Amino acid sequence: MTQNRHHDTAAAILPLVGGAQNVTSVAHCMTRLRLGLRDRSLVQDERLKALPAVMGVVEDDTYQIVLGPGTVARVTPEFEAMVEAAGAGAGAAPPGPTAPDRGSGPMAAEALAARGAALRAERKAKNATPLKLFLRRIANIFVPLIPALIGCGIIAGLNGLLVNLHWLPGVTPALAAVASGFMALIAVFVGHNTAAEFGGTPILGGATAAVIVYAGVADVEAFGRQLSPGQGGVLGALGAAWLGVCVEKWCRRRVPESVDVLVTPTVTVLVAGLATLFGLMFLAGAVSTVTGEAADRLLSHGGAVAGFLLGGLFLPLVMLGLHQALIPLHTTLIEGAGFTVLLPVLAMAGAGQVGAAIAIYCRLPHSTSIRSTVRSALWPGFLGVGEPLIYGVTLPLGRPFVTACTGGAFGGAFVGLFNQLGTDVGSTAIGPSGWALFPLLDGNHGPGRTVAVYAAGLAVGYAAGFLATYYFGFTKTMLTELDAAPAPPADGGAAPADRVAEGI
């Protein structure tokens, strides 16, 4: 039955994105089905967003359909199979886009959707800068690693709990091995993905980066100092694999085809490997050490102020596309300390969105359309899937997005304050947020205190986002226009979308 549900979801999505012939690529991340499309105009946005399984859509370099964690991993294979089955000679032309049914839903929800679509398109245009495109490529290297980080992180948390309780002493060493195996070899996976992303041979990237974690590097002396396995970590692996790609491309242009299969792999691994041993491992190791120390100092000395800024500015960073620079930073911290102290603080931004959404629901008792949108997006928001609330509710309204960020700032300040007081609250993996982060929490004072501080931070974020939005999120004009009881327009037309955002 579950498999049929995911199959039905994929079957419902395919014609609404223009059919199989309009799909050029299919991938997924933690929550989104990411599609490359030939003709964006063939997508029927409103009908797509009306599907029960679809939480929202996001336009970026790909067309992204938010399905939520777990669901997206099951729908994507079904969708890929349908696209492949259609083949190159698909039959009938896909149905063209249909105009939204003006009389089928309240006007406010339609206007919000249009406003959200315009904001997404504007953000996409602004994010197409060389720096942000480069950061997106860096993110593409690390995002595929998130499921393994989550799985190993949960096992590590369970093992830590068993060790603290002195339970199952014969099992805990095995759990430690299972949880730590991936992190011990993460450099190899980063090298593999780096080579694939920058146009090289993935296995050569992995082979080059494997030098970093090879135990035998302890016998290598460079510049009068002994190397240590793992020195440089994921940053060194990224640099080593990128250098390997450059060497490989150079060889492909110059080595005769008759000996290419022998010469190019050998030269690539040799040159990049030696450069890694006698340069990159030292440089990346220093950067990793400084990064870890800076993150610790940021919250141990900055405390509430640092948490306030991080929690309040995270969603604007997401809007600008700069949040992708944090992914290798999180991974470096997890590799060095076992957890990242930044993620729980940044997760407070989602708590502010939830609090703001509840306030919107309370302030607009007569707007059945907006309240319906809030109800459908609220539970995913509690679980850390924030796109439906951001693009469907707070961002199109304008002021509530700002007050939601204020809620995130206060939640971040709370968690940051406890970090300053000596209670580290960290996450053993990246990706989840909200309530979904609880199984991944770790710190320096045991799971009980860590979970309590994080839960209290969420409560502060919810409350601050609610109060800021309830009292400061609306102008009188906005309340007058948005809280009107729905009534079908006499001429069958629709109010302009920009009226909804008036007073921002």
Side-chain angles (χ1 to χ4, degrees), residues 96-133:
T98 59
D101 184 0
R102 301 295 186 184
S104 62
M107 203 175 305
E110 182 180 301
L112 280 183
R115 176 72 175 168
L119 289 168
R120 284 194 294 271
E122 181 182 354
R123 184 174 70 92
K124 178 182 178 182
K126 289 182 178 179
N127 283 353
T129 63
L131 172 62
K132 293 170 187 175
L133 292 174

PDB file of all heavy atoms in Angstrom, residues 96-133:
ATOM      1  N   GLY A  96      -0.553  21.282 -21.741  1.00  0.00           N
ATOM      2  CA  GLY A  96      -0.069  22.636 -21.530  1.00  0.00           C
ATOM      3  C   GLY A  96      -0.537  23.166 -20.215  1.00  0.00           C
ATOM      4  O   GLY A  96      -1.425  22.619 -19.577  1.00  0.00           O
ATOM      5  N   PRO A  97       0.081  24.262 -19.760  1.00  0.00           N
ATOM      6  CA  PRO A  97      -0.308  24.836 -18.485  1.00  0.00           C
ATOM      7  C   PRO A  97      -1.728  25.363 -18.539  1.00  0.00           C
ATOM      8  O   PRO A  97      -2.165  25.918 -19.538  1.00  0.00           O
ATOM      9  CB  PRO A  97       0.711  25.983 -18.298  1.00  0.00           C
ATOM     10  CG  PRO A  97       1.204  26.292 -19.676  1.00  0.00           C
ATOM     11  CD  PRO A  97       1.126  25.037 -20.458  1.00  0.00           C
ATOM     12  N   THR A  98      -2.440  25.168 -17.490  1.00  0.00           N
ATOM     13  CA  THR A  98      -3.806  25.656 -17.412  1.00  0.00           C
ATOM     14  C   THR A  98      -3.882  26.831 -16.472  1.00  0.00           C
ATOM     15  O   THR A  98      -3.132  26.923 -15.510  1.00  0.00           O
ATOM     16  CB  THR A  98      -4.741  24.556 -16.899  1.00  0.00           C
ATOM     17  OG1 THR A  98      -4.289  24.139 -15.612  1.00  0.00           O
ATOM     18  CG2 THR A  98      -4.734  23.363 -17.830  1.00  0.00           C
ATOM     19  N   ALA A  99      -4.759  27.712 -16.762  1.00  0.00           N
ATOM     20  CA  ALA A  99      -4.925  28.883 -15.912  1.00  0.00           C
ATOM     21  C   ALA A  99      -5.507  28.456 -14.585  1.00  0.00           C
ATOM     22  O   ALA A  99      -6.308  27.547 -14.501  1.00  0.00           O
ATOM     23  CB  ALA A  99      -5.870  29.883 -16.589  1.00  0.00           C
ATOM     24  N   PRO A 100      -5.083  29.095 -13.508  1.00  0.00           N
ATOM     25  CA  PRO A 100      -5.624  28.745 -12.219  1.00  0.00           C
ATOM     26  C   PRO A 100      -7.125  28.959 -12.176  1.00  0.00           C
ATOM     27  O   PRO A 100      -7.664  29.863 -12.802  1.00  0.00           O
ATOM     28  CB  PRO A 100      -4.907  29.727 -11.259  1.00  0.00           C
ATOM     29  CG  PRO A 100      -3.692  30.206 -12.003  1.00  0.00           C
ATOM     30  CD  PRO A 100      -4.067  30.156 -13.440  1.00  0.00           C
ATOM     31  N   ASP A 101      -7.780  28.114 -11.451  1.00  0.00           N
ATOM     32  CA  ASP A 101      -9.223  28.209 -11.297  1.00  0.00           C
ATOM     33  C   ASP A 101      -9.546  29.310 -10.311  1.00  0.00           C
ATOM     34  O   ASP A 101      -9.401  29.153  -9.099  1.00  0.00           O
ATOM     35  CB  ASP A 101      -9.775  26.877 -10.785  1.00  0.00           C
ATOM     36  CG  ASP A 101     -11.291  26.890 -10.690  1.00  0.00           C
ATOM     37  OD1 ASP A 101     -11.883  27.931 -11.017  1.00  0.00           O
ATOM     38  OD2 ASP A 101     -11.863  25.853 -10.288  1.00  0.00           O
ATOM     39  N   ARG A 102      -9.946  30.456 -10.834  1.00  0.00           N
ATOM     40  CA  ARG A 102     -10.144  31.623  -9.984  1.00  0.00           C
ATOM     41  C   ARG A 102     -11.265  31.443  -8.992  1.00  0.00           C
ATOM     42  O   ARG A 102     -11.291  32.079  -7.966  1.00  0.00           O
ATOM     43  CB  ARG A 102     -10.433  32.862 -10.851  1.00  0.00           C
ATOM     44  CG  ARG A 102      -9.326  33.201 -11.841  1.00  0.00           C
ATOM     45  CD  ARG A 102      -8.061  33.602 -11.159  1.00  0.00           C
ATOM     46  NE  ARG A 102      -7.069  34.048 -12.106  1.00  0.00           N
ATOM     47  CZ  ARG A 102      -5.841  34.383 -11.789  1.00  0.00           C
ATOM     48  NH1 ARG A 102      -5.451  34.300 -10.552  1.00  0.00           N
ATOM     49  NH2 ARG A 102      -4.983  34.770 -12.695  1.00  0.00           N
ATOM     50  N   GLY A 103     -12.174  30.575  -9.287  1.00  0.00           N
ATOM     51  CA  GLY A 103     -13.312  30.443  -8.396  1.00  0.00           C
ATOM     52  C   GLY A 103     -13.202  29.270  -7.460  1.00  0.00           C
ATOM     53  O   GLY A 103     -14.107  29.008  -6.706  1.00  0.00           O
ATOM     54  N   SER A 104     -12.065  28.534  -7.488  1.00  0.00           N
ATOM     55  CA  SER A 104     -11.970  27.302  -6.723  1.00  0.00           C
ATOM     56  C   SER A 104     -11.416  27.501  -5.332  1.00  0.00           C
ATOM     57  O   SER A 104     -11.454  26.623  -4.516  1.00  0.00           O
ATOM     58  CB  SER A 104     -11.089  26.291  -7.454  1.00  0.00           C
ATOM     59  OG  SER A 104      -9.787  26.802  -7.576  1.00  0.00           O
ATOM     60  N   GLY A 105     -10.835  28.623  -5.045  1.00  0.00           N
ATOM     61  CA  GLY A 105     -10.248  28.825  -3.732  1.00  0.00           C
ATOM     62  C   GLY A 105     -10.274  30.269  -3.356  1.00  0.00           C
ATOM     63  O   GLY A 105     -10.481  31.145  -4.177  1.00  0.00           O
ATOM     64  N   PRO A 106     -10.058  30.596  -2.108  1.00  0.00           N
ATOM     65  CA  PRO A 106     -10.084  31.969  -1.658  1.00  0.00           C
ATOM     66  C   PRO A 106      -8.978  32.775  -2.317  1.00  0.00           C
ATOM     67  O   PRO A 106      -7.911  32.295  -2.616  1.00  0.00           O
ATOM     68  CB  PRO A 106      -9.854  31.826  -0.145  1.00  0.00           C
ATOM     69  CG  PRO A 106     -10.260  30.421   0.163  1.00  0.00           C
ATOM     70  CD  PRO A 106      -9.940  29.634  -1.033  1.00  0.00           C
ATOM     71  N   MET A 107      -9.249  34.040  -2.480  1.00  0.00           N
ATOM     72  CA  MET A 107      -8.364  34.900  -3.234  1.00  0.00           C
ATOM     73  C   MET A 107      -7.030  35.124  -2.537  1.00  0.00           C
ATOM     74  O   MET A 107      -5.991  35.207  -3.164  1.00  0.00           O
ATOM     75  CB  MET A 107      -9.056  36.240  -3.447  1.00  0.00           C
ATOM     76  CG  MET A 107      -8.544  37.041  -4.622  1.00  0.00           C
ATOM     77  SD  MET A 107      -9.550  38.504  -4.809  1.00  0.00           S
ATOM     78  CE  MET A 107     -11.161  37.786  -4.919  1.00  0.00           C
ATOM     79  N   ALA A 108      -7.022  35.182  -1.209  1.00  0.00           N
ATOM     80  CA  ALA A 108      -5.801  35.489  -0.485  1.00  0.00           C
ATOM     81  C   ALA A 108      -4.748  34.404  -0.694  1.00  0.00           C
ATOM     82  O   ALA A 108      -3.572  34.690  -0.849  1.00  0.00           O
ATOM     83  CB  ALA A 108      -6.094  35.668   0.994  1.00  0.00           C
ATOM     84  N   ALA A 109      -5.143  33.166  -0.663  1.00  0.00           N
ATOM     85  CA  ALA A 109      -4.190  32.077  -0.857  1.00  0.00           C
ATOM     86  C   ALA A 109      -3.590  32.134  -2.252  1.00  0.00           C
ATOM     87  O   ALA A 109      -2.401  31.905  -2.450  1.00  0.00           O
ATOM     88  CB  ALA A 109      -4.871  30.727  -0.633  1.00  0.00           C
ATOM     89  N   GLU A 110      -4.395  32.442  -3.249  1.00  0.00           N
ATOM     90  CA  GLU A 110      -3.902  32.542  -4.630  1.00  0.00           C
ATOM     91  C   GLU A 110      -2.906  33.685  -4.754  1.00  0.00           C
ATOM     92  O   GLU A 110      -1.863  33.554  -5.393  1.00  0.00           O
ATOM     93  CB  GLU A 110      -5.092  32.755  -5.558  1.00  0.00           C
ATOM     94  CG  GLU A 110      -4.712  32.826  -7.029  1.00  0.00           C
ATOM     95  CD  GLU A 110      -5.936  33.042  -7.887  1.00  0.00           C
ATOM     96  OE1 GLU A 110      -6.855  32.207  -7.834  1.00  0.00           O
ATOM     97  OE2 GLU A 110      -5.972  34.062  -8.584  1.00  0.00           O
ATOM     98  N   ALA A 111      -3.229  34.798  -4.121  1.00  0.00           N
ATOM     99  CA  ALA A 111      -2.329  35.941  -4.184  1.00  0.00           C
ATOM    100  C   ALA A 111      -1.014  35.640  -3.474  1.00  0.00           C
ATOM    101  O   ALA A 111       0.060  36.019  -3.944  1.00  0.00           O
ATOM    102  CB  ALA A 111      -3.001  37.166  -3.554  1.00  0.00           C
ATOM    103  N   LEU A 112      -1.095  34.968  -2.342  1.00  0.00           N
ATOM    104  CA  LEU A 112       0.122  34.587  -1.629  1.00  0.00           C
ATOM    105  C   LEU A 112       0.980  33.665  -2.479  1.00  0.00           C
ATOM    106  O   LEU A 112       2.202  33.785  -2.514  1.00  0.00           O
ATOM    107  CB  LEU A 112      -0.228  33.903  -0.309  1.00  0.00           C
ATOM    108  CG  LEU A 112      -0.605  34.792   0.873  1.00  0.00           C
ATOM    109  CD1 LEU A 112      -0.846  33.933   2.097  1.00  0.00           C
ATOM    110  CD2 LEU A 112       0.487  35.800   1.152  1.00  0.00           C
ATOM    111  N   ALA A 113       0.359  32.719  -3.151  1.00  0.00           N
ATOM    112  CA  ALA A 113       1.107  31.788  -3.996  1.00  0.00           C
ATOM    113  C   ALA A 113       1.811  32.532  -5.124  1.00  0.00           C
ATOM    114  O   ALA A 113       2.968  32.257  -5.444  1.00  0.00           O
ATOM    115  CB  ALA A 113       0.174  30.726  -4.559  1.00  0.00           C
ATOM    116  N   ALA A 114       1.105  33.482  -5.736  1.00  0.00           N
ATOM    117  CA  ALA A 114       1.712  34.262  -6.815  1.00  0.00           C
ATOM    118  C   ALA A 114       2.873  35.100  -6.297  1.00  0.00           C
ATOM    119  O   ALA A 114       3.924  35.207  -6.937  1.00  0.00           O
ATOM    120  CB  ALA A 114       0.655  35.165  -7.451  1.00  0.00           C
ATOM    121  N   ARG A 115       2.658  35.685  -5.128  1.00  0.00           N
ATOM    122  CA  ARG A 115       3.714  36.492  -4.525  1.00  0.00           C
ATOM    123  C   ARG A 115       4.939  35.620  -4.204  1.00  0.00           C
ATOM    124  O   ARG A 115       6.075  36.007  -4.442  1.00  0.00           O
ATOM    125  CB  ARG A 115       3.181  37.150  -3.254  1.00  0.00           C
ATOM    126  CG  ARG A 115       4.200  37.946  -2.451  1.00  0.00           C
ATOM    127  CD  ARG A 115       4.565  39.224  -3.143  1.00  0.00           C
ATOM    128  NE  ARG A 115       5.436  40.023  -2.314  1.00  0.00           N
ATOM    129  CZ  ARG A 115       6.106  41.084  -2.745  1.00  0.00           C
ATOM    130  NH1 ARG A 115       5.982  41.471  -4.003  1.00  0.00           N
ATOM    131  NH2 ARG A 115       6.873  41.762  -1.934  1.00  0.00           N
ATOM    132  N   GLY A 116       4.695  34.431  -3.638  1.00  0.00           N
ATOM    133  CA  GLY A 116       5.786  33.522  -3.319  1.00  0.00           C
ATOM    134  C   GLY A 116       6.548  33.098  -4.561  1.00  0.00           C
ATOM    135  O   GLY A 116       7.776  33.007  -4.553  1.00  0.00           O
ATOM    136  N   ALA A 117       5.822  32.829  -5.662  1.00  0.00           N
ATOM    137  CA  ALA A 117       6.478  32.438  -6.910  1.00  0.00           C
ATOM    138  C   ALA A 117       7.362  33.565  -7.437  1.00  0.00           C
ATOM    139  O   ALA A 117       8.470  33.331  -7.928  1.00  0.00           O
ATOM    140  CB  ALA A 117       5.434  32.051  -7.944  1.00  0.00           C
ATOM    141  N   ALA A 118       6.869  34.805  -7.331  1.00  0.00           N
ATOM    142  CA  ALA A 118       7.656  35.946  -7.793  1.00  0.00           C
ATOM    143  C   ALA A 118       8.924  36.105  -6.957  1.00  0.00           C
ATOM    144  O   ALA A 118      10.003  36.390  -7.489  1.00  0.00           O
ATOM    145  CB  ALA A 118       6.813  37.222  -7.720  1.00  0.00           C
ATOM    146  N   LEU A 119       8.807  35.916  -5.661  1.00  0.00           N
ATOM    147  CA  LEU A 119       9.979  36.027  -4.793  1.00  0.00           C
ATOM    148  C   LEU A 119      10.988  34.931  -5.083  1.00  0.00           C
ATOM    149  O   LEU A 119      12.192  35.160  -5.050  1.00  0.00           O
ATOM    150  CB  LEU A 119       9.537  35.990  -3.327  1.00  0.00           C
ATOM    151  CG  LEU A 119       8.790  37.241  -2.838  1.00  0.00           C
ATOM    152  CD1 LEU A 119       8.142  36.970  -1.493  1.00  0.00           C
ATOM    153  CD2 LEU A 119       9.741  38.426  -2.746  1.00  0.00           C
ATOM    154  N   ARG A 120      10.494  33.713  -5.354  1.00  0.00           N
ATOM    155  CA  ARG A 120      11.409  32.629  -5.690  1.00  0.00           C
ATOM    156  C   ARG A 120      12.161  32.927  -6.978  1.00  0.00           C
ATOM    157  O   ARG A 120      13.365  32.677  -7.079  1.00  0.00           O
ATOM    158  CB  ARG A 120      10.637  31.311  -5.832  1.00  0.00           C
ATOM    159  CG  ARG A 120      10.223  30.699  -4.514  1.00  0.00           C
ATOM    160  CD  ARG A 120       9.779  29.255  -4.703  1.00  0.00           C
ATOM    161  NE  ARG A 120       8.559  29.164  -5.508  1.00  0.00           N
ATOM    162  CZ  ARG A 120       7.345  29.202  -5.011  1.00  0.00           C
ATOM    163  NH1 ARG A 120       7.159  29.345  -3.717  1.00  0.00           N
ATOM    164  NH2 ARG A 120       6.285  29.108  -5.801  1.00  0.00           N
ATOM    165  N   ALA A 121      11.445  33.450  -7.978  1.00  0.00           N
ATOM    166  CA  ALA A 121      12.093  33.777  -9.250  1.00  0.00           C
ATOM    167  C   ALA A 121      13.127  34.884  -9.063  1.00  0.00           C
ATOM    168  O   ALA A 121      14.223  34.841  -9.638  1.00  0.00           O
ATOM    169  CB  ALA A 121      11.039  34.198 -10.272  1.00  0.00           C
ATOM    170  N   GLU A 122      12.788  35.872  -8.229  1.00  0.00           N
ATOM    171  CA  GLU A 122      13.722  36.966  -7.968  1.00  0.00           C
ATOM    172  C   GLU A 122      14.964  36.452  -7.255  1.00  0.00           C
ATOM    173  O   GLU A 122      16.090  36.826  -7.571  1.00  0.00           O
ATOM    174  CB  GLU A 122      13.025  38.030  -7.123  1.00  0.00           C
ATOM    175  CG  GLU A 122      13.911  39.237  -6.816  1.00  0.00           C
ATOM    176  CD  GLU A 122      13.189  40.246  -5.938  1.00  0.00           C
ATOM    177  OE1 GLU A 122      11.980  40.049  -5.669  1.00  0.00           O
ATOM    178  OE2 GLU A 122      13.823  41.215  -5.523  1.00  0.00           O
ATOM    179  N   ARG A 123      14.761  35.559  -6.279  1.00  0.00           N
ATOM    180  CA  ARG A 123      15.895  35.006  -5.551  1.00  0.00           C
ATOM    181  C   ARG A 123      16.785  34.182  -6.478  1.00  0.00           C
ATOM    182  O   ARG A 123      18.008  34.218  -6.390  1.00  0.00           O
ATOM    183  CB  ARG A 123      15.401  34.134  -4.399  1.00  0.00           C
ATOM    184  CG  ARG A 123      16.529  33.588  -3.530  1.00  0.00           C
ATOM    185  CD  ARG A 123      15.985  32.848  -2.332  1.00  0.00           C
ATOM    186  NE  ARG A 123      15.357  31.599  -2.703  1.00  0.00           N
ATOM    187  CZ  ARG A 123      15.993  30.431  -2.733  1.00  0.00           C
ATOM    188  NH1 ARG A 123      17.273  30.367  -2.438  1.00  0.00           N
ATOM    189  NH2 ARG A 123      15.358  29.328  -3.066  1.00  0.00           N
ATOM    190  N   LYS A 124      16.155  33.429  -7.402  1.00  0.00           N
ATOM    191  CA  LYS A 124      16.931  32.623  -8.334  1.00  0.00           C
ATOM    192  C   LYS A 124      17.833  33.504  -9.190  1.00  0.00           C
ATOM    193  O   LYS A 124      19.003  33.193  -9.417  1.00  0.00           O
ATOM    194  CB  LYS A 124      15.989  31.812  -9.220  1.00  0.00           C
ATOM    195  CG  LYS A 124      16.708  30.961 -10.261  1.00  0.00           C
ATOM    196  CD  LYS A 124      15.723  30.225 -11.137  1.00  0.00           C
ATOM    197  CE  LYS A 124      16.448  29.422 -12.212  1.00  0.00           C
ATOM    198  NZ  LYS A 124      15.497  28.730 -13.108  1.00  0.00           N
ATOM    199  N   ALA A 125      17.291  34.625  -9.669  1.00  0.00           N
ATOM    200  CA  ALA A 125      18.079  35.523 -10.508  1.00  0.00           C
ATOM    201  C   ALA A 125      19.245  36.128  -9.728  1.00  0.00           C
ATOM    202  O   ALA A 125      20.368  36.224 -10.221  1.00  0.00           O
ATOM    203  CB  ALA A 125      17.179  36.635 -11.067  1.00  0.00           C
ATOM    204  N   LYS A 126      18.989  36.524  -8.481  1.00  0.00           N
ATOM    205  CA  LYS A 126      20.032  37.137  -7.671  1.00  0.00           C
ATOM    206  C   LYS A 126      21.103  36.132  -7.269  1.00  0.00           C
ATOM    207  O   LYS A 126      22.252  36.502  -7.026  1.00  0.00           O
ATOM    208  CB  LYS A 126      19.419  37.767  -6.416  1.00  0.00           C
ATOM    209  CG  LYS A 126      18.599  39.019  -6.704  1.00  0.00           C
ATOM    210  CD  LYS A 126      18.061  39.619  -5.414  1.00  0.00           C
ATOM    211  CE  LYS A 126      17.282  40.902  -5.690  1.00  0.00           C
ATOM    212  NZ  LYS A 126      16.730  41.498  -4.445  1.00  0.00           N
ATOM    213  N   ASN A 127      20.741  34.863  -7.170  1.00  0.00           N
ATOM    214  CA  ASN A 127      21.683  33.846  -6.714  1.00  0.00           C
ATOM    215  C   ASN A 127      22.577  33.318  -7.822  1.00  0.00           C
ATOM    216  O   ASN A 127      23.445  32.494  -7.569  1.00  0.00           O
ATOM    217  CB  ASN A 127      20.928  32.670  -6.074  1.00  0.00           C
ATOM    218  CG  ASN A 127      20.456  33.011  -4.680  1.00  0.00           C
ATOM    219  OD1 ASN A 127      20.798  34.054  -4.137  1.00  0.00           O
ATOM    220  ND2 ASN A 127      19.657  32.134  -4.098  1.00  0.00           N
ATOM    221  N   ALA A 128      22.381  33.767  -9.051  1.00  0.00           N
ATOM    222  CA  ALA A 128      23.173  33.251 -10.169  1.00  0.00           C
ATOM    223  C   ALA A 128      24.470  34.027 -10.338  1.00  0.00           C
ATOM    224  O   ALA A 128      24.844  34.410 -11.437  1.00  0.00           O
ATOM    225  CB  ALA A 128      22.350  33.306 -11.458  1.00  0.00           C
ATOM    226  N   THR A 129      25.191  34.273  -9.228  1.00  0.00           N
ATOM    227  CA  THR A 129      26.487  34.938  -9.282  1.00  0.00           C
ATOM    228  C   THR A 129      27.582  33.867  -9.230  1.00  0.00           C
ATOM    229  O   THR A 129      27.354  32.753  -8.753  1.00  0.00           O
ATOM    230  CB  THR A 129      26.654  35.893  -8.094  1.00  0.00           C
ATOM    231  OG1 THR A 129      26.640  35.128  -6.873  1.00  0.00           O
ATOM    232  CG2 THR A 129      25.516  36.902  -8.054  1.00  0.00           C
ATOM    233  N   PRO A 130      28.785  34.191  -9.709  1.00  0.00           N
ATOM    234  CA  PRO A 130      29.862  33.191  -9.700  1.00  0.00           C
ATOM    235  C   PRO A 130      30.130  32.628  -8.309  1.00  0.00           C
ATOM    236  O   PRO A 130      30.345  31.415  -8.166  1.00  0.00           O
ATOM    237  CB  PRO A 130      31.060  33.978 -10.244  1.00  0.00           C
ATOM    238  CG  PRO A 130      30.453  35.035 -11.112  1.00  0.00           C
ATOM    239  CD  PRO A 130      29.169  35.421 -10.422  1.00  0.00           C
ATOM    240  N   LEU A 131      30.134  33.480  -7.281  1.00  0.00           N
ATOM    241  CA  LEU A 131      30.407  32.991  -5.930  1.00  0.00           C
ATOM    242  C   LEU A 131      29.335  32.016  -5.478  1.00  0.00           C
ATOM    243  O   LEU A 131      29.634  30.941  -4.935  1.00  0.00           O
ATOM    244  CB  LEU A 131      30.492  34.169  -4.952  1.00  0.00           C
ATOM    245  CG  LEU A 131      30.589  33.785  -3.462  1.00  0.00           C
ATOM    246  CD1 LEU A 131      31.862  32.984  -3.212  1.00  0.00           C
ATOM    247  CD2 LEU A 131      30.547  35.037  -2.582  1.00  0.00           C
ATOM    248  N   LYS A 132      28.078  32.368  -5.701  1.00  0.00           N
ATOM    249  CA  LYS A 132      26.986  31.515  -5.221  1.00  0.00           C
ATOM    250  C   LYS A 132      26.890  30.227  -6.029  1.00  0.00           C
ATOM    251  O   LYS A 132      26.551  29.168  -5.493  1.00  0.00           O
ATOM    252  CB  LYS A 132      25.672  32.289  -5.257  1.00  0.00           C
ATOM    253  CG  LYS A 132      25.660  33.433  -4.257  1.00  0.00           C
ATOM    254  CD  LYS A 132      24.469  34.351  -4.448  1.00  0.00           C
ATOM    255  CE  LYS A 132      24.575  35.571  -3.549  1.00  0.00           C
ATOM    256  NZ  LYS A 132      23.494  36.534  -3.785  1.00  0.00           N
ATOM    257  N   LEU A 133      27.208  30.300  -7.313  1.00  0.00           N
ATOM    258  CA  LEU A 133      27.243  29.079  -8.118  1.00  0.00           C
ATOM    259  C   LEU A 133      28.367  28.152  -7.641  1.00  0.00           C
ATOM    260  O   LEU A 133      28.210  26.931  -7.617  1.00  0.00           O
ATOM    261  CB  LEU A 133      27.417  29.427  -9.597  1.00  0.00           C
ATOM    262  CG  LEU A 133      26.230  30.133 -10.257  1.00  0.00           C
ATOM    263  CD1 LEU A 133      26.581  30.546 -11.684  1.00  0.00           C
ATOM    264  CD2 LEU A 133      24.994  29.232 -10.263  1.00  0.00           C
TER     265      LEU A 133
END
